[in-house]
Amino acid sequence: MHGRDPGYILVAHGSGGKLTGDLFRDLFLPAFRNPYLEQAGDQAVVPLDGVRLAVTTDSFVVSPLFFPGGDIGRLAVYGTVNDLAVGGAVPAYLTAGFIIEEGLSTEDLRRVVQSMSEAAARAGVSIIAGDTKVVERGKGDGLFINTTGVGWVPPGVELGPARIRPGDRLLVSGPVGDHGAAVMARRAGLDFEVEGLVSDTAPLAGLVQALLAAFPGAVRCMRDATRGGLATVLVELATASGKAFRVDEAAIAVREPVRGLCEVLGIDPLYAACEGRMVAVVAADVAEAAVELLRTYPDGQQAMLIGTVAEGPPGEVLMRTVAGGSRRLELLEGEQLPRIC
């Protein structure tokens, strides 16, 4: 079915992978086309009275609502804050829209709202407006949340795939796949049997601002690795920059509980979602220092350099495997982890 329009929407259209990109390019972009949307970034940066205003929006439909290391509320705050942060913006304000299914317990809603309050305080943002809708029993899945984020981009900060150059290095702020594995474990009832499965859900603004302050002009581009995981982000950046990436599988950290669960479920951890990890492309002469800086922060203690920007076919991401072979990474096809965020 992949490669052609089935004529109706599949769950995979929301995976963040190839079908999501097809939907954006073939349907949404032609209808809403403008210079800001054409950039297809995690956020849009628009001028407003001399300020570069950053705006993003995201919806969260994770099932179950509560999982090891987080919940839908914490995810909704950090997910949107991170989309602002990786564009170099300073997150400032959020709005929150709640679509609640009749029958959701008030106590569960209270837990989610309290979690959002704590997450907003940690991320340094204020939730300034919102909306509540209730749908009939059986027409929702407990609770969906939409958050819209607003921030500002400081003068001199310029990030984007167009700034990526051959010889630049690729770094990741920590192990990958934790969030996807934690949610799948709870969904499968395995989280009590596999010790150490915890979502990495966390705000990234502190790490981002530290990098930008320490290495002005040397940070080319950043993304948070959410749906589609590390592999999809690498392919998207390579494609958008028109460069080739070379990565080393041995340098990519995957925690043993995550690797073990993925093997049981037949999931590739490189495509499993993260919710507190960023991928950054930095100039080669600051790469080692950038990793060392990230390792001084609790959320960046296991930061690593995983590869290099190379001359080669645009969009090609080749990974040297631990077995000594070579594997080409592609955009996520289909939906290996539905309803993960």
Side-chain angles (χ1 to χ4, degrees):
M1 180 174 293
H2 302 309
R4 60 185 178 85
D5 182 1
Y8 51 87
I9 296 299
L10 304 169
V11 171
H13 280 101
S15 69
K18 182 179 182 303
L19 288 184
T20 304
D22 291 346
L23 200 63
F24 172 74
R25 285 186 297 273
D26 298 341
L27 196 153
F28 294 123
L29 184 58
F32 305 138
R33 185 179 297 278
N34 60 67
Y36 307 108
L37 196 61
E38 286 176 343
Q39 295 175 14
D42 286 335
Q43 72 299 123
V45 179
V46 297
L48 183 67
D49 287 340
V51 175
R52 290 193 295 165
L53 198 67
V55 182
T56 189
T57 191
D58 207 343
S59 297
F60 297 85
V61 298
V62 64
S63 177
L65 299 180
F66 302 93
F67 48 83
D71 55 75
I72 190 173
R74 197 169 299 269
L75 200 60
V77 171
Y78 291 153
T80 296
V81 165
N82 289 346
D83 281 346
L84 291 172
V86 295
V90 178
Y93 302 108
L94 294 182
T95 70
F98 297 85
I99 300 175
I100 307 168
E101 182 183 10
E102 181 184 29
L104 179 71
S105 80
T106 307
E107 179 54 30
D108 279 351
L109 182 59
R110 193 185 312 278
R111 287 176 60 193
V112 169
V113 170
Q114 179 61 32
S115 183
M116 293 180 73
S117 173
E118 294 169 359
R122 183 182 174 193
V125 298
S126 299
I127 299 175
I128 59 169
D131 179 57
T132 301
K133 295 290 190 300
V134 177
V135 298
E136 296 92 334
R137 194 183 299 267
K139 294 189 176 181
D141 198 4
L143 176 65
F144 300 146
I145 300 176
N146 173 269
T147 44
T148 294
V150 178
W152 57 280
V153 181
V157 173
E158 298 289 348
L159 301 174
R163 290 175 46 80
I164 296 174
R165 300 287 181 268
D168 287 347
R169 302 295 304 278
L170 309 170
L171 69 83
V172 179
S173 62
V176 299
D178 290 31
H179 176 71
V183 174
M184 290 303 297
R186 173 57 56 89
R187 198 178 292 172
L190 297 172
D191 53 316
F192 300 107
E193 300 180 16
V194 183
E195 186 176 356
L197 283 173
V198 179
S199 170
D200 61 324
T201 305
L204 290 170
L207 297 180
V208 169
Q209 296 303 322
L211 276 184
L212 293 176
F215 310 107
V219 181
R220 313 297 198 198
C221 183
M222 290 183 278
R223 288 282 176 87
D224 55 338
T226 55
R227 295 174 303 166
L230 172 65
T232 296
V233 169
L234 290 174
V235 175
E236 288 178 345
L237 289 180
T239 301
S241 66
K243 305 297 188 299
F245 288 180
R246 300 290 179 260
V247 298
D248 185 354
E249 184 177 20
I252 301 172
V254 180
R255 297 190 308 114
E256 282 307 314
V258 174
R259 191 182 301 280
L261 182 79
C262 287
E263 287 178 358
V264 169
L265 298 178
I267 295 170
D268 186 338
L270 298 185
Y271 288 88
C274 312
E275 288 293 342
R277 302 286 181 245
M278 70 173 181
V279 179
V281 186
V282 301
D285 60 347
V286 306
E288 295 286 349
V291 168
E292 290 304 315
L293 175 64
L294 291 181
R295 288 176 177 170
T296 64
Y297 289 80
D299 292 327
Q301 288 182 345
Q302 296 183 67
M304 65 211 104
L305 291 170
I306 65 166
T308 303
V309 179
E311 300 287 356
E316 181 184 76
V317 180
L318 283 184
M319 182 173 71
R320 183 174 60 188
T321 69
V322 293
S326 180
R327 172 189 169 194
R328 179 168 178 153
L329 300 182
E330 307 282 358
L331 290 174
L332 175 65
E333 292 272 2
E335 177 61 285
Q336 68 169 357
L337 297 171
R339 304 283 300 281
I340 210 74
C341 61

